Amino acid sequence: MQVAVIGAGVIGVSTAYFLAEAGHEVVVIERHNNVAEEASYGDSGILAASSIAPWAAPGVPRSFLSHLLKSEAPLMLNQPWRPSMLGWMRRWMKEADVERYRINRERMQRIAFYSRDIMQMLRERHQLDYEQTPGYLQLFRTERDLQLAQTAFDYLSEHNIPHKKLDAGQAHTIDCALNPNTPLAGALYFPEDEAGNCPLFTRQIRAQAQAMGVEFLFGSEVKSIEESKRGVHLQIDDHSFSAECVVVAGGADSAKLLTPLGLHLPLRAVKSYCATATIRNFESAPVAAVVDEAYKVAITRMGKRIRVAGTAELGSHTPELRQKALNTLLKVGYDWFPDACNYNTAAFWSGSSLALPDGPPLLGACRVRNVYINIGHGSTGWAMAAGSGKVVADVISGRTPDIDLDGLTPTRYS
């Protein structure tokens, strides 16, 4: 079957790889000139299936909203009074109910754990090295932060997910480079999770996909998708392209392609930021990946560099760097690893991913014939990419996926 994949981020490239493995003729269409040029480029690097969870957790919306007027914040709202923004925020806050949180987390972890297995298979099959580091540490600054996370703690225990709850002293033993002067009430350690370099991984999978015959059309932007008798027509810049089916995996640009097809999904582009700095003192650099739960900012080691990534800005459609977000990244970097590097001279970046109010992605066939989607992963795209790509390839190939897709398909919003 001739399959067109829209988007050459880690989601789209992973999808193309597994489609080619299944024997399809695949072309990937990307408006940039290389893979991993948007959300995947600034990915935090966290591959944490054990701790992956929706942002809408009990108590979190109120906590986030309390930060809006502060100089550093995990969440920022741009044009907050627009009806579409208000509607999405209302849906997001409803998902913070305890039962909704449990349902959404189970769905996210189902695809994330599967993806971790697929990642291990890819790593062994192709001898991949994407600057991976083992272990993942969640840091809680205050007792209130620990209280907000209690639902997550309960979930981990009930589902027997490997983790260790640590006090401040034990956390500093796991990573002795943590700044002892920054208040720390406790931590969670996930020994089976890891971090790495998402753009590097994506380039490696692209090479493997090309070796199987996948064609990449760079510098080509899909303007529209239309149904046809034999499949679909794609309007690419000033010319048409036909295929038997299409997979929309274009991240933040996916919504504008799906809406004209009558697919009105509660998708929202979420802008995130990262700072990448060269390590100047390796003894003061992090050993494992860490995330500051108060600010939702991750710090990861990527070879000789450190990446500080996070924050979420809703309602922004421009690539400009907002100082409030940069302040948050700088604060978290200097708070936890002040001597590791000069964060003020880091390379700063911003880009958007596509999120849904409840958290889990949407995978597989939609009600428009020959159109498939692989979208809505938010900031945790890499942690779900390999599994999501394999699932969508299986669906297109008429094979039963290895995992239950309940709650992960577009019928969730039908």
Side-chain angles (χ1 to χ4, degrees):
M1 183 183 295
Q2 296 175 324
V3 186
V5 177
I6 301 175
V10 67
I11 302 292
V13 174
S14 297
T15 305
Y17 172 93
F18 286 108
L19 283 167
E21 183 186 57
H24 299 287
E25 181 181 338
V26 186
V27 59
V28 178
I29 305 165
E30 168 58 50
R31 64 174 182 163
H32 291 286
N33 295 317
N34 203 346
V35 300
E37 286 289 293
E38 293 198 28
S40 299
Y41 181 84
D43 188 271
S44 68
I46 301 294
L47 287 164
S50 301
S51 61
I52 201 168
W55 267 42
V60 168
R62 178 178 295 181
S63 176
F64 278 6
L65 294 175
S66 69
H67 280 86
L68 290 179
L69 299 179
K70 297 180 180 179
S71 59
E72 298 99 10
L75 176 69
M76 292 168 289
L77 299 181
N78 196 306
Q79 299 177 320
W81 308 118
R82 293 179 61 182
S84 60
M85 174 69 76
L86 289 172
W88 195 92
M89 290 295 293
R90 280 196 295 267
R91 295 183 76 153
W92 176 66
M93 288 188 283
K94 286 182 179 179
E95 295 295 334
D97 171 78
V98 173
E99 289 306 313
R100 290 300 307 164
Y101 168 83
R102 290 175 175 272
I103 291 171
N104 294 331
R105 180 159 187 169
E106 186 280 326
R107 290 170 175 172
M108 293 178 72
Q109 290 198 307
R110 193 189 324 147
I111 185 65
F113 279 124
Y114 177 59
S115 190
R116 187 169 72 183
D117 294 340
I118 300 298
M119 283 286 292
Q120 182 177 349
M121 178 271 293
L122 290 173
R123 186 166 59 238
E124 294 173 353
R125 175 186 293 177
H126 300 298
Q127 299 300 300
L128 301 179
D129 181 356
Y130 42 87
E131 300 179 331
Q132 58 264 37
T133 56
Y136 175 58
L137 196 61
Q138 286 184 332
L139 305 176
F140 301 90
R141 291 176 179 253
T142 66
E143 290 297 329
R144 173 168 169 72
D145 293 335
L146 286 170
Q147 291 171 5
L148 284 173
Q150 189 57 53
T151 303
F153 297 162
D154 295 342
Y155 184 95
L156 293 169
S157 298
E158 291 169 12
H159 291 78
N160 297 314
I161 296 173
H163 70 284
K164 297 179 182 178
K165 193 171 181 180
L166 311 174
D167 59 27
Q170 292 169 323
H172 284 278
T173 300
I174 294 288
D175 198 328
C176 60
L178 284 170
N179 184 7
N181 297 318
T182 298
L184 180 61
L188 274 181
Y189 182 61
F190 298 90
E192 296 184 0
D193 289 337
E194 66 173 21
N197 186 327
C198 180
L200 177 58
F201 170 81
T202 308
R203 291 192 293 269
Q204 292 173 348
I205 294 302
R206 171 201 172 181
Q208 299 298 330
Q210 285 180 310
M212 292 189 289
V214 175
E215 181 182 359
F216 286 80
L217 297 181
F218 292 113
S220 302
E221 183 172 0
V222 178
K223 302 293 186 179
S224 64
I225 301 171
E226 296 179 359
E227 294 183 76
S228 70
K229 291 183 179 180
R230 298 184 62 184
V232 291
H233 283 309
L234 309 180
Q235 186 65 35
I236 304 176
D237 297 324
D238 58 352
H239 64 278
S240 296
F241 181 91
S242 296
E244 292 179 69
C245 70
V246 62
V247 179
V248 179
D253 290 332
S254 300
K256 66 182 181 182
L257 294 174
L258 296 173
T259 301
L261 296 173
L263 298 173
H264 300 285
L265 301 167
L267 298 162
R268 174 64 58 179
V270 180
K271 186 176 175 181
S272 58
Y273 293 77
C274 79
T276 308
T278 301
I279 298 174
R280 67 180 182 186
N281 186 348
F282 284 88
E283 292 183 356
S284 300
V287 176
V290 305
V291 65
D292 186 317
E293 282 297 311
Y295 291 96
K296 298 297 181 183
V297 169
I299 304 175
T300 51
R301 176 89 166 262
M302 295 183 179
K304 297 181 179 180
R305 300 171 299 156
I306 287 176
R307 170 159 291 177
V308 186
T311 74
E313 182 177 352
L314 293 170
S316 175
H317 302 281
T318 66
E320 67 177 312
L321 298 171
R322 194 168 175 180
Q323 191 58 49
K324 186 175 182 179
L326 302 186
N327 290 344
T328 305
L329 300 183
L330 292 172
K331 172 182 173 55
V332 173
Y334 279 118
D335 276 357
W336 294 114
F337 302 99
D339 299 322
C341 53
N342 185 352
Y343 300 100
N344 288 301
T345 61
F348 294 101
W349 171 94
S350 70
S352 296
S353 57
L354 205 59
L356 292 149
D358 48 0
L362 295 175
L363 314 174
C366 56
R367 60 185 178 84
V368 180
R369 191 169 58 91
N370 300 319
V371 176
Y372 299 81
I373 58 177
N374 193 351
I375 58 173
H377 303 76
S379 61
T380 55
W382 189 19
M384 304 182 194
S388 295
K390 180 69 163 60
V391 161
V392 173
D394 285 343
V395 171
I396 292 174
S397 303
R399 301 186 303 214
T400 302
D402 297 326
I403 62 169
D404 183 2
L405 296 186
D406 178 56
L408 294 172
T409 71
T411 59
R412 189 165 94 232
Y413 288 109
S414 63

